[in-house]
Amino acid sequence: MKTVSLRRRVTLTTAVVSGLVLVLVAITVHTLFGVVVTRSENTALTDRVQLAKQLSQDGISPDELVARVDNRSARARLVLTDGRSFGSLSRLHAEEGVAKSRSLKLTGPGELNGARLTLQIDTPLLSRVQQRLGFLLIMATASAIAVIAAGLWFGVPRTLAPLDDMTRLAREITRGRLGRRLNPSSTDTELGRTAAAFDEMLDALEGALRDTTAAEARARASEARIRTFVGDAAHELRTPIAGIRALAEAVVQQPADADPEDRQRMHLLLVREAHRAGRLVDDLLDLARIDAGLELRRDPTDLNDLAATQLDRMRMLHPDIDFRLDGVPVTTEVDPERITQILANLLTNACQAVHTDVPAQVAADPGTGDSTGPEHRAAVVAVHIRTTADSAEIAVSDTGPGVRPEDRERIFDRLVRLDGSRDHRTDGSGLGLPIARGLARAHGGDLTCADPIDGSGARFVLRLPLTTENTDQVPPEMTPAPRTGA
């Protein structure tokens, strides 16, 4: 891990950001000044032209007219009809056309009748003003950056002083000087919460030192939590990682002329699986604390769409299984990621169950080897969604060996694996169903293993409470046609 000075990093980052902002402000000011100068030039020329016309109508002499319109900001050249010229603007500068200028023919009594007047802005003067402004902006920006950097360099250590206090205290505790605490004045800030957590940790450590028996018990509990954590990680990450691998292989093996919609659909499924895997890693610690209360991110969610998405994913992983979905469209406020996690766990268990049962079914027709014999049942996983008076139910059924009635509650205990034919996995942690039930109860619902409808296989029912708006949805008996797929 790189240990770059936090003081240097904060100072450099803030100075760079401030410098960019100041440079942008300076450029903006300089540009706006140029716009103002341009408008001022036009206004000055317009005023001089109007003044010259008025003076010409009044019959003023050429000398007096030039004296009135020729000044520091605008220079004039007056050429009479007899060829005489007046004013500080030379003929060469008047004909160059570099600076902004205007020419007009005067009318009126006397010598000015028919004379040509040329007015030109004093560009060198304005250029010097603009250059001076640019220089001042550069100096001001550089000075401001230097002041900000210096202020940060000397101010950051004071800001980071609480971290230094934590470091000193930790070293003193390491040397055996117990009893000292940080005692933050406020715990509603980041450093305050960190200091409070640090003090709590020290209290726990000192309490462990004073009570050897309690320390040993905590050590055993910590070891058990670590084992549980590893089991949760292995069990919960297996499903999304397998999905990502299968989808990635499918995307790679797609021909160049594959349907763009199919390719886009696979990409979306791949992104969803990757996102779910990342979410599982972030939330594993929360799953270990389900009993203490889990924070949920509730949103209005269509349970039918959620189940359909999971079945699409399972079809990719298990093309030999017939997946079916039927029921009513139900929308309720749940955490979609957590409900997805429950469905993924139930569907994965169901797929493993029907795969376990297939060899026994085929072998039940001895001598033929025909998988279509009377003893063979198709591998089917079905999801049925319905509503009751106050809840939504998602039932996941399979054609596997089922669960014995005496085991239907025991399978929700942690680290419990069945000895029957339904679970022959050697790598299972026995935590999937307990986690799924904990997530269901965190929503105010429940997950149970119910009696199968046709007497065979297993049937898990997820019940979720309906919000007030959901109680008038489609009645349970109005069921659309089932969606099936191999």
Side-chain angles (χ1 to χ4, degrees), residues 309-385:
T309 300
Q310 285 305 302
L311 288 179
D312 288 341
R313 182 181 68 84
M314 299 307 293
R315 290 188 184 102
M316 295 289 299
L317 298 175
H318 305 280
D320 57 325
I321 298 178
D322 182 12
F323 292 96
R324 302 175 183 177
L325 172 63
D326 62 78
V328 298
V330 180
T331 300
T332 186
E333 289 193 0
V334 295
D335 187 331
E337 294 292 336
R338 299 299 190 181
I339 301 303
T340 296
Q341 187 175 348
I342 298 174
L343 291 175
N345 182 278
L346 296 178
L347 291 173
T348 300
N349 288 345
C351 292
Q352 291 166 342
V354 297
H355 281 154
T356 299
D357 200 36
V358 165
Q361 295 164 358
V362 174
D365 191 12
T368 66
D370 185 2
S371 61
T372 62
E375 298 297 330
H376 176 69
R377 291 179 298 163
V380 178
V381 174
V383 177
H384 179 75
I385 301 176

Side-chain angles (χ1 to χ4, degrees), residues 13-158:
T13 302
T14 309
V16 169
V17 173
S18 301
L20 291 175
V21 173
L22 290 173
V23 168
L24 182 61
V25 171
I27 293 174
T28 303
V29 171
H30 196 268
T31 303
L32 292 176
F33 179 77
V35 173
V36 172
V37 166
T38 301
R39 292 181 179 178
S40 299
E41 290 176 349
N42 293 329
T43 302
L45 287 175
T46 301
D47 291 343
R48 290 290 180 271
V49 167
Q50 295 297 330
L51 178 60
K53 289 180 178 180
Q54 182 63 39
L55 293 176
S56 175
Q57 294 293 330
D58 293 342
I60 195 172
S61 66
D63 290 330
E64 292 179 354
L65 185 143
V66 169
R68 295 283 297 275
V69 300
D70 194 338
N71 56 23
R72 293 184 59 189
S73 61
R75 301 190 181 280
R77 175 178 174 80
L78 178 64
V79 181
L80 302 180
T81 55
D82 58 5
R84 288 181 296 162
S85 61
F86 303 86
S88 61
L89 181 62
S90 66
R91 178 181 178 182
L92 178 61
H93 288 133
E95 294 177 351
E96 281 181 352
V98 177
K100 185 169 293 188
S101 61
R102 291 193 187 172
S103 297
L104 70 154
K105 188 175 182 180
L106 301 177
T107 58
E111 296 178 293
L112 295 178
N113 188 34
R116 179 161 294 279
L117 176 64
T118 300
L119 296 171
Q120 189 177 84
I121 294 296
D122 189 357
T123 302
L125 175 62
L126 294 176
S127 298
R128 287 193 298 272
V129 173
Q130 199 162 8
Q131 289 175 358
R132 181 170 296 179
L133 176 62
F135 176 76
L136 291 176
L137 287 174
I138 292 173
M139 293 300 297
T141 300
S143 300
I145 294 174
V147 171
I148 291 173
L152 288 170
W153 183 256
F154 293 104
V156 167
R158 181 178 180 85

Side-chain angles (χ1 to χ4, degrees), residues 219-242:
R220 288 192 296 270
S222 177
E223 184 179 354
R225 284 195 297 270
I226 292 175
R227 286 198 301 267
T228 302
F229 179 85
V230 173
D232 282 346
H235 186 82
E236 294 300 312
L237 289 176
R238 185 183 302 112
T239 300
I241 289 175

Side-chain angles (χ1 to χ4, degrees), residues 167-178 202:
T167 302
R168 284 193 294 269
L169 180 57
R171 288 175 177 170
E172 290 181 1
I173 295 296
T174 303
R175 298 188 185 100
R177 300 176 182 175
L178 307 179
L202 292 178

Side-chain angles (χ1 to χ4, degrees), residues 414-486:
R414 293 198 172 197
L415 301 176
V416 170
R417 294 174 54 210
L418 299 182
D419 297 330
S421 60
R422 182 176 176 85
D423 192 351
H424 287 289
R425 293 170 295 160
T426 59
D427 58 345
S429 65
L431 288 170
L433 289 176
I435 291 175
R437 169 174 276 188
L439 293 175
R441 290 180 174 177
H443 283 82
D446 202 359
L447 175 64
T448 58
C449 182
D451 294 330
I453 295 178
D454 59 359
S456 62
R459 179 169 171 263
F460 289 87
V461 179
L462 169 63
R463 294 182 179 84
L464 297 170
L466 285 174
T467 55
T468 305
E469 293 80 1
N470 301 128
T471 54
D472 297 327
Q473 292 192 88
V474 180
E477 63 272 9
M478 296 180 61
T479 303
R483 284 189 272 184
T484 64

